[in-house]
Amino acid sequence: MAYKTISHFDSSTSITLILFENVSNSIELRQKVREIDCSLLKASLILDKFQVLVAVNKSLLKKNTESMITRSVLTEIIYNMSPSNNISDSLSKFGIADDDRTILAVVLDDEDGKKTERCIRMVEGEVAELRKLSDSSDERLIKKVYKIKDEELEIGTLLDAVVTHMAIKGI
């Protein structure tokens, strides 16, 4: 299967991750993001699906406790990918850009599969195996965006450092 659907721990929310390669309509997608009904993430800043699931979990928790920073849970996911508290900076860095050719879509609550189908239909690109996500990662850019120091990498992995920076945002 090219994409993965899992249940959130509260069993009331499904999470579908879809990796797209060779995307040719990023400009159009940015303009129609509400119609697509998913979060569109810059794949070059993602090391592993675990990183995305951390942001999704934090976003769903904020939604359930009515403490979201942004106006929608889909935007909250993009915001929670970032180590920054600045909403516009987070959205511009982690949301897709006009020239992004590899993107990751996050679809929530898609019991009948229609949201996933619409997303696949609207993105002009190839659905890729999710295991290829790390192939798109730009580790140098990730270290720069998350401000990760070499000392952090002496005691853990880059993924550990990224998730830590995401988790301590706002503390």
Side-chain angles (χ1 to χ4, degrees), residues 59-85:
S59 301
L60 292 172
L61 178 64
K62 294 271 190 183
K63 178 185 176 201
N64 291 338
T65 59
E66 299 179 2
S67 59
M68 289 194 319
I69 304 298
T70 66
R71 294 183 186 154
S72 80
V73 70
L74 296 172
T75 306
E76 194 79 8
I77 292 168
I78 301 170
Y79 173 72
N80 283 316
M81 289 292 298
S82 173
S84 172
N85 287 316

Side-chain angles (χ1 to χ4, degrees), residues 89-130:
D89 181 58
S90 299
L91 299 180
S92 68
K93 279 190 180 139
F94 286 85
I96 64 169
D98 291 349
D99 60 346
D100 282 337
R101 301 206 10 93
T102 305
I103 63 175
L104 182 73
V106 181
V107 181
L108 299 179
D109 292 328
D110 191 23
E111 295 169 14
D112 59 4
K114 288 184 180 178
K115 291 180 185 178
T116 299
E117 288 173 16
R118 184 176 341 136
C119 179
I120 291 171
R121 194 173 54 251
M122 291 186 79
V123 176
E124 293 173 10
E126 302 156 14
V127 176
E129 293 292 329
L130 199 53

Side-chain angles (χ1 to χ4, degrees), residues 4 17 26 39-40 51 54 63 78 108 129 134 161 169:
K4 179 80 174 160
L17 304 176
S26 293
S39 291
L40 297 174
Q51 177 185 355
V54 168
K63 178 185 176 201
I78 301 170
L108 299 179
E129 293 292 329
S134 62
K169 172 165 93 174

